[in-house]
């Protein structure tokens, strides 16, 4: 196991411990100021009330600017004042200066505001503090009362709601300042971390990935010179190893491809031999039997009959071998696709024309619906093979109304050519397998019709060579086979 650097770990531990202590200090300060800030404001207000009372006591009630000086004191300490002389007669109220305190009766006599006393605290024989609440409101006030010379008294009011609001404002201000300081320290800590610790961790992670043959990530160029040199060295090593591994990977892929190709060829050869042996067994037996029959033929006509059977079976064997070789060539990549422009209607008409006599003799109605302007782009030879297989397959299975329909429609970037024939639909169990070699959906048709189950397999391989789709769809009155051919560029 790789050991970490002791000095770096110690330094990180110190920074982490210092940061934790700062967080705890700020947390304690925040908690304390939330709980005690209001009491601090109350103490300040009480001291201000005492100072205001001393300032008022030094004034001469009858002097010229008495009211002005009282207003200045009220504004300075943000308090409301009631003065009594004698003690039970209100002679001054801040209400006269449009404050909320005091009220005046209908006779013009000033009356003090009557409030509910919630708390009372005597400071000495002539001074006290009270907490009062209005009878018909929720507002509460701190009240300071004291007695002056000549039996005069004063009461000062300060709203507890204002104290609470100021305390909350101050608490949030301290909180935000604390958070700002904490963030500054945190970013200083992060700056150190991202300058040294994070780069080293990145380099360590990347070197581990290189050890696991993962070269996808490269080291960034760090600002510190030593880290930058280390980063460049790691990147150079990673690039060199990556090039070597990519070269080995390509060679390995080519080798695997060759091995897989040889395996497919070998399997194809084995399958070819098995299928060919199975399909050729019957005609060879027939040829052998009729050849022996010629030896013992009693008449010339009998010998000619036997010879005709041998010739017919030989032709079937030849068609089978040709189709097998064609299919093997497609499967093993022996056919090179040669793309060219294909006028669809003209090409299909040319392929169908050779069967007009057959259609007429068998009462088959052909409906050809292909736009003469449709031009495809693909391998003309493969197109002919696919269409001929579909057309021959339709003629072999046509029944019922004996209708044959050839159509073409646009599907995305392709023309979809369809061949429909009336007759029995393909069984659900067979429709998935009809594209396999030697698979016959209609087992009832005998081999003398020359159908070996290779036509649709050739269609599948030919379309796969061109990366084009193909398929079959059952309808109520027949079966539709279709295949796609790419739309020529100027047709899109």
């Amino acid at each position: 196991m790789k050991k970490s650097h002791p000095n770096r770990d110690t330094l990180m531990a110190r920074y982490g411990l210092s940061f934790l202590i700062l967080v705890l200090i700020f947390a304690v300060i925040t908690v304390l100021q939330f709980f005690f800030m209001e009491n601090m404001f109350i103490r300040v207000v009480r001291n201000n009330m005492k100072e205001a009372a001393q300032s008022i006591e030094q004034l001469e009630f009858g002097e010229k600017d008495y009211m002005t000086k009282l207003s200045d004191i009220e504004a300075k300490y943000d308090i409301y004042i009631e003065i009594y002389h004698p003690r039970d007669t209100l002679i001054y109220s801040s209400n006269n200066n449009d404050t909320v305190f005091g009220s005046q009766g209908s006779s013009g006599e000033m009356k003090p505001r009557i409030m509910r006393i919630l708390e009372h605290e005597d400071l000495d024989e002539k001074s006290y503090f009270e907490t009062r609440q209005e009878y018909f409101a929720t507002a509460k006030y701190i009240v300071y009362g004291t007695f002056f010379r000549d039996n005069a008294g004063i009461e000062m009011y300060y709203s507890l709601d204002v104290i609470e609001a100021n305390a909350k404002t101050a608490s949030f201000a301290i909180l935000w300042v604390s958070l700002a300081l904490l963030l500054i320290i945190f970013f200083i800590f992060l700056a150190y971390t991202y300058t040294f610790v994070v780069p080293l961790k990145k380099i360590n992670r990347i070197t581990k990935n290189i050890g696991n043959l993962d070269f996808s990530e490269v080291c960034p160029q760090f600002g510190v010179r030593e880290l930058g040199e280390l980063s460049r060295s790691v990147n150079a090593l990673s690039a060199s190893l990556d090039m070597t591994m990519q070269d080995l990977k390509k060679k390995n892929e080519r080798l695997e491809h060759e091995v897989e190709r040889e395996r497919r060829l070998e399997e194809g050869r084995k399958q070819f031999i098995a299928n060919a042996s199975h399909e050729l067994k019957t005609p060879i037996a027939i040829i052998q039997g009729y050849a022996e029959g010629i030896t013992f033929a009693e008449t010339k006509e009998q010998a000619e009959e036997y010879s005709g059977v041998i010739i017919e079976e030989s032709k079937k064997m030849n068609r089978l071998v040709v189709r097998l070789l064609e299919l093997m060539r497609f499967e093993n990549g022996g056919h090179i696709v040669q793309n060219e422009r294909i006028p669809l209607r003209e090409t299909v008409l040319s392929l169908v024309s050779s069967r007009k006599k057959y259609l007429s003799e068998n009462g088959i109605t052909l409906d050809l619906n292909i736009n003469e302007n449709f031009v495809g782009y693909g391998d003309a030879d493969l197109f002919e093979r696919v269409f001929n297989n579909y057309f021959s397959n339709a003629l072999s299975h046509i029944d019922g109304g004996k209708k044959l329909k050839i159509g073409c429609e646009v599907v995305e970037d392709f023309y979809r050519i369809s061949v429909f024939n009336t007759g029995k639909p393909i069984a659900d169990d067979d429709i998935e397998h009809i594209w396999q070699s030697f698979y016959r959906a209609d087992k009832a048709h005998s081999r003398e019709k020359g159908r070996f189950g290779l036509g649709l397999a050739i269609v599948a391989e030919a379309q796969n060579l061109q990366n084009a789709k193909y398929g079959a769809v059952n309808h109520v009155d027949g079966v539709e086979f279709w295949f796609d051919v790419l739309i020529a560029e100027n047709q899109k």
Side-chain angles (χ1 to χ4, degrees):
M1 181 181 292
K2 189 175 180 180
K3 295 182 178 179
S4 58
H5 198 286
N7 293 332
R8 188 184 66 202
D9 288 349
T10 302
L11 189 59
M12 286 297 298
R14 289 177 180 176
Y15 268 82
L17 181 60
S18 300
F19 183 72
L20 180 61
I21 292 174
L22 286 173
V23 171
L24 291 175
I25 291 174
F26 284 125
V28 171
I29 291 175
T30 302
V31 171
L32 290 177
Q33 56 94 13
F34 264 111
F35 281 101
F36 298 104
M37 184 63 68
E38 186 173 343
N39 291 333
M40 293 174 58
F41 269 82
I42 291 175
R43 284 195 293 272
V44 170
V45 169
R46 286 188 171 191
N47 291 333
N48 289 342
M49 286 180 167
K50 291 179 180 179
E51 291 179 5
Q54 293 174 359
S55 299
I56 294 172
E57 188 175 10
Q58 295 173 3
L59 300 177
E60 293 294 336
F61 183 74
E63 63 183 291
K64 182 178 180 181
D65 55 352
Y66 184 79
M67 298 292 292
T68 301
K69 291 181 179 180
L70 278 180
S71 297
D72 292 340
I73 293 173
E74 290 172 354
K76 178 180 178 180
Y77 295 102
D78 193 21
I79 56 177
Y80 306 99
I81 301 172
E82 290 182 352
I83 299 176
Y84 299 86
H85 188 72
R87 293 187 181 184
D88 55 352
T89 302
L90 180 61
I91 62 172
Y92 174 84
S93 172
S94 296
N95 186 56
N96 290 337
N97 293 329
D98 296 327
T99 63
V100 297
F101 293 100
S103 60
Q104 204 165 12
S106 57
S107 61
E109 180 184 356
M110 297 179 59
K111 295 182 178 180
R113 186 160 186 165
I114 301 175
M115 295 177 136
R116 182 187 298 114
I117 298 175
L118 302 179
E119 295 179 1
H120 179 87
E121 177 186 354
D122 288 321
L123 300 180
D124 49 41
E125 293 181 356
K126 63 176 184 176
S127 301
Y128 58 89
F129 274 109
E130 289 181 346
T131 301
R132 297 181 187 177
Q133 181 180 6
E134 296 188 54
Y135 277 102
F136 303 104
T138 58
K140 296 180 181 180
Y141 304 91
I142 295 177
V143 180
Y144 174 69
T146 187
F147 298 103
F148 293 158
R149 60 187 180 276
D150 301 330
N151 205 26
I154 186 172
E155 283 189 342
M156 288 176 265
Y157 296 80
Y158 197 96
S159 174
L160 273 175
D161 293 335
V162 174
I163 293 177
E164 290 177 0
N166 292 338
K168 288 182 179 179
T169 301
S171 297
F172 280 109
I174 294 174
L175 175 62
W176 284 113
V177 171
S178 301
L179 287 175
L181 292 175
L182 186 62
L183 287 175
I184 291 172
I185 296 173
F186 177 71
F187 282 118
I188 293 174
F189 175 77
L190 285 182
Y192 168 80
T193 302
Y194 277 96
T195 302
F196 295 100
V197 179
V198 171
L200 289 174
K201 287 184 176 181
K202 286 184 178 179
I203 294 174
N204 181 51
R205 186 185 70 253
I206 292 171
T207 53
K208 287 182 179 179
N209 292 339
I210 293 174
N212 295 325
L213 303 181
D214 179 9
F215 309 102
S216 59
E217 190 175 4
V218 297
C219 293
Q221 295 300 316
F222 302 109
V224 181
R225 183 170 61 84
E226 291 78 5
L227 291 176
E229 292 178 356
L230 177 60
S231 176
R232 287 189 289 272
S233 299
V234 171
N235 288 338
L237 174 63
S238 176
S240 177
L241 291 175
D242 188 25
M243 291 179 60
T244 303
M245 293 303 299
Q246 290 296 330
D247 185 55
L248 290 175
K249 184 178 179 181
K250 290 179 180 178
K251 292 180 179 179
N252 185 56
E253 288 176 353
R254 286 197 295 268
L255 179 60
E256 289 180 354
H257 178 73
E258 291 298 326
V259 171
E260 180 64 22
R261 182 173 177 273
E262 288 297 325
R263 185 187 65 80
R264 289 199 305 268
L265 289 174
E266 182 63 26
E267 290 180 354
R269 283 191 290 267
K270 291 179 180 180
Q271 188 66 34
F272 173 80
I273 293 172
N275 292 334
S277 299
H278 176 75
E279 292 295 330
L280 293 173
K281 180 172 62 176
T282 300
I284 290 174
I286 293 173
I287 291 172
Q288 182 180 0
Y290 277 92
E292 292 176 355
I294 292 175
T295 305
F296 301 100
E298 297 178 353
T299 63
K300 182 180 179 181
E301 290 78 7
Q302 192 176 30
E304 289 177 352
E305 180 185 353
Y306 291 168
S307 297
V309 174
I310 291 173
I311 292 171
E312 184 63 30
E313 291 298 326
S314 298
K315 290 180 179 179
K316 290 180 181 180
M317 288 176 61
N318 181 64
R319 289 197 299 270
L320 173 60
V321 171
V322 169
R323 288 212 162 196
L324 280 172
L325 292 175
E326 183 181 28
L327 180 61
M328 290 296 295
R329 182 160 57 90
F330 289 162
E331 289 179 344
N332 297 328
H335 180 86
I336 299 176
V337 177
Q338 300 290 339
N339 291 323
E340 57 185 285
R341 292 170 64 84
I342 305 172
L344 299 183
R345 182 178 178 84
E346 179 182 341
T347 303
V348 170
L349 282 173
S350 174
L351 296 174
V352 171
S353 61
S354 61
R355 304 289 187 97
K356 285 185 177 180
K357 184 178 179 181
Y358 179 86
L359 297 175
S360 178
E361 291 176 349
N362 291 273
I364 299 174
T365 303
L366 175 61
D367 180 11
L368 179 62
N369 184 19
I370 299 179
N371 191 307
E372 61 183 8
N373 296 321
F374 284 177
V375 179
Y377 184 74
D379 190 305
D381 182 52
L382 294 180
F383 180 91
E384 180 179 342
R385 292 171 188 270
V386 171
F387 181 82
N388 278 336
N389 275 303
Y390 276 174
F391 193 66
S392 298
N393 189 67
L395 293 178
S396 299
H397 293 84
I398 196 165
D399 200 354
K402 290 191 175 183
K403 293 182 180 180
L404 192 64
K405 297 180 182 179
I406 301 173
C408 182
E409 62 178 348
V410 177
V411 179
E412 296 180 351
D413 293 334
F414 292 87
Y415 290 123
R416 178 159 295 178
I417 300 171
S418 60
V419 179
F420 168 83
N421 65 274
T422 56
K424 295 180 180 180
I426 303 172
D428 293 338
D429 294 337
D430 293 326
I431 200 166
E432 296 180 0
H433 305 288
I434 58 177
W435 311 101
Q436 299 174 5
S437 302
F438 298 102
Y439 189 87
R440 298 185 183 91
D442 53 343
K443 280 76 176 179
H445 279 74
S446 59
R447 58 173 300 278
E448 59 266 16
K449 291 190 176 181
R451 295 171 47 239
F452 307 104
L454 295 176
L456 295 181
I458 292 173
V459 168
E461 291 300 328
Q463 288 297 100
N464 289 335
L465 283 174
Q466 303 176 92
N467 295 320
K469 297 179 180 180
Y470 57 92
V473 181
N474 279 323
H475 293 278
V476 176
D477 56 344
V479 181
E480 175 188 350
F481 283 86
W482 58 268
F483 69 100
D484 290 347
V485 59
L486 190 65
I487 299 175
E489 192 64 33
N490 62 346
Q491 297 281 305
K492 296 181 180 179

